[in-house]
Amino acid sequence: MTDIATRPADAVSPPPRGRRRRPRLDVGGPRAGTIAAFLTPFFLPFVLFYLVPIGYALWQSFRVVRRSGGQYGTSYTTFGGFEQYVEVFQNQEFWSSIGRIGLFGVVQVPVMLFTALVMALLLDSPLLKLKGFFRITAFMPYAVPGVIAAIMWSYLYSPQLSPVVDLLNAIGLHPDFLGPGAVLWSAANVSTWLWTGYNMLIMFSALQSIPQELYEAARIDGAGNWTIAWRIKVPIIAPSIVMTTVFSIIGTLQLYSEPAVLRQISSNISSTFTPNMLAYTVAVGNNYQQAAAISVVIAVITFVLSFGFMRLTSKRAGL
Amino acid sequence: MSRTVTRTRLVIAAATAGMVVLAGCSSSDSTDTASAASCEPAKGKVTLQYWNTVNGMDKVVDLWNKEHPDIQVESKNISNDQYGAIGNALKAGKAPDLAQVGYDQLPTLRTQDAFVDASACKTAADAKSKFVPWTWSQASFNDSGVFALPQDTGPMALYVRTDIFKKYDVPIPTTWDEYADAAAKLHKADPKLTITFFDPNNAEWFNGLLWQNNATMYSYSDDKWHVTVESDKSKQVADYWQKLIDDKLVRTDIANGSTQMFAAYQNDQMATQVGAAWGYSGIRDNLPDQAGKWSIVPLPTWGPNGNSGDWGGSTVAFMKGGEHLYEAAEFNTWLNTDPEALAMSNELGGLYPASNDGLELPALSKGVPYYNNEKIFDVFAESSKKVDTDFAWGPTQKTVNLALQDAMAKAAAGDGKLTDALAAAQSAALKSMKDLAIPATAGK
């Protein structure tokens, strides 16, 4: 904040307000039971379905399978240190899947968020009519479950069935949406279609909370709609843009359902196409320890990227 | 419909990471003793769990339940995630008494100590002679015990649009060489027409063709698995299809059983299907306009009097932890050898029986109206008898299949060759076995 009020130099500034000390929770007192009772419904599932599986995955990722005796001998697991992690880091398939996802994210996330931002600004602008209609239609894809959306798009991509492909063929274009070069972008398109409206709504909500006086002041200063949009609105809603970016980074690294569904109709999506698909494929091969290690590495990469992005932008976005 | 061959995958995005985590449970398995469990009838009423993926199986089970008040069977359909359900139940120590397991997944589950040996149950052990030889050799792991009873098979054959062959005056091929000639002639006559499609995402189908050429992929000796996924025999098959792909004589953009596949047949764009016994109803039900135009002939062979191949089929396995082996053996034997039960499974679930008597069922000796009243099942029965009995599956078959598919898809897209896919599958086999501490070596 800039302090525009000028004070007389001899004005005594009020003593700095220390933070008022809250009475410490009297753990073990009569209130502790009440607090515990209220927190249990959250903590119990949180521990059971969140912390325990994570801990278990971590523990599994440090185990290796050993076997004794015979063609179908006994298998058991034992502590193997970082053996599974060494395997993951040496796994060419893993790094190609990370690379693929990286390429996907670098293109898809900016395109999607830029589109969402433009749509949000349009909805917020005084020029647009039928706002309610556009808001609902843009948000509607988000109501469709990802798997269903992917199945729907499979039909639109499929050369034998798609009216879109027929139409394009009729005007002399012959796109192959499922070809080796295109299929990644076909999946990206499904993700974009699914999530743009959702991200738009988050940005739009942020825009709604900007006080109108700002715009009035800007107009008096001679700003047009364009200037208001890019110089006032965008900087103010920067925190929500950062937030949607972080969610999108996480979503990209976890990508599974769109390519897994498209895999049914395109042979150009391998069983190791995305890191999550690789983890699933390894688990299907009964190599749970390796799958756990892959999952842990994916989680760490997700953590580093999303928090890295936040650190990078937090100062500028004023988070 | 095929049951072991459909490529259903569990597609639950959010659950995936969690599933991977939750799926691995108990850390040690007990010894695979291979010594037969005892087989004594229980006192009083027994209820058995039987997991399967067969349509209408509950009705077959009802028939048994009516006649056997003391041995009640509960049938549960696990089509959604067959091996996931079985694997998780094993890990949790809650496996059913009997479960449907595809032939190619038997060794995988055995390395996870999933089965119990029912050799001591006379009813089941004596059933050996009742089954098509190759099915018994796979279900019993070369006669080392009675771990499962064969249920159905997928002997391969060639589905042919005879009208198209007539129209262009091309003889119906009986060997693979003739098939390649026919492919060239048909495509020359009509550039929109290909003889068939090659689905790179279908390892099970390709495995059937490798099996036909006696391309043994696994053997066991000197305390080690010997991996020969990549061999001269398998390369011969790969090279053959590679040439058809290179010459654009087969399409590679079609998945087996997909809407696109039926659309292409509907539009007269493909003239044959390299299929299996369970596929006859799919053609019949999806292409009703083409009744009378399809015929089923023996699979083209490598040279005269060659073998046939098998694609799919399942066994009903005796699962570890079942407490009522005697009753399980009684029901399992009835289910897979009794003519009435076989007839019902065939009628309701489309199962093509693995038992010799099953091949003689009235329903399987009649002409089929859709196929010009031809006795198509005679072709499948003949095929079934010509399937190599020495062929064996590996203990990490699923992983190998996926690696093969990924590399075949690359080859189909022009990145490498099908022989590279065999090499990829070979190294995937060795790596996955090493990861699971299964002793393995390359070559014979």
Side-chain angles (χ1 to χ4, degrees), chain B residues 161-183:
Chain B
R161 277 283 301 274
T162 43
D163 60 319
I164 294 181
F165 277 78
K166 266 203 198 71
K167 181 179 168 186
Y168 298 116
D169 196 24
V170 176
I172 298 204
T174 59
T175 66
W176 285 116
D177 285 347
E178 290 173 12
Y179 189 79
D181 288 344

Side-chain angles (χ1 to χ4, degrees), chain B residues 164-324:
Chain B
I164 294 181
F165 277 78
K166 266 203 198 71
K167 181 179 168 186
Y168 298 116
D169 196 24
V170 176
I172 298 204
T174 59
T175 66
W176 285 116
D177 285 347
E178 290 173 12
Y179 189 79
D181 288 344
K185 280 183 188 143
L186 290 172
H187 190 62
K188 200 165 164 224
D190 175 2
K192 281 203 177 68
L193 177 69
T194 55
I195 194 162
T196 191
F197 62 98
F198 178 93
D199 177 4
N201 252 335
N202 201 327
E204 290 88 355
W205 174 84
F206 195 70
N207 287 339
L209 294 172
L210 295 178
W211 189 347
Q212 183 197 18
N213 201 25
N214 303 345
T216 314
M217 294 201 266
Y218 300 92
S219 54
Y220 187 85
S221 59
D222 309 325
D223 300 335
K224 290 195 273 299
W225 286 84
H226 293 261
V227 182
T228 48
V229 176
E230 193 184 18
S231 68
D232 290 347
K233 290 277 194 193
S234 62
K235 282 181 192 161
Q236 187 184 6
V237 179
D239 282 333
Y240 177 85
W241 287 95
Q242 184 65 50
K243 189 166 182 339
L244 289 179
I245 292 169
D246 289 344
D247 298 346
K248 303 266 186 290
L249 296 176
V250 292
R251 294 175 61 165
T252 55
D253 59 342
I254 285 185
N256 179 71
S258 63
T259 322
Q260 291 89 336
M261 178 188 93
F262 289 115
Y265 282 125
Q266 184 67 47
N267 301 328
D268 299 348
Q269 291 170 339
M270 297 194 295
T272 69
Q273 188 193 14
V274 176
W278 41 258
Y280 77 95
S281 53
I283 297 264
R284 180 192 64 196
D285 301 342
N286 287 282
L287 303 165
D289 313 351
Q290 298 182 349
K293 295 179 174 179
W294 285 94
S295 197
I296 297 174
V297 299
L299 191 64
T301 54
W302 294 100
N305 304 322
N307 272 349
S308 190
D310 180 274
W311 173 21
S314 289
T315 64
V316 178
F318 295 102
M319 303 302 281
K320 193 141 214 147
E323 313 217 318
H324 306 293

Side-chain angles (χ1 to χ4, degrees), chain A residues 246-261:
Chain A
V246 169
F247 284 163
S248 305
I249 290 172
I250 295 169
T252 301
L253 282 155
Q254 304 285 343
L255 190 71
Y256 180 87
S257 55
E258 291 90 338
V261 171

Side-chain angles (χ1 to χ4, degrees), chain B residues 39-51:
Chain B
C39 192
E40 292 298 322
K43 296 174 180 63
K45 189 182 155 185
V46 166
T47 304
L48 299 173
Q49 296 291 326
Y50 166 40
W51 291 3

Side-chain angles (χ1 to χ4, degrees), chain B residues 31-42:
Chain B
T31 317
D32 180 43
T33 46
S35 65
S38 72
C39 192
E40 292 298 322

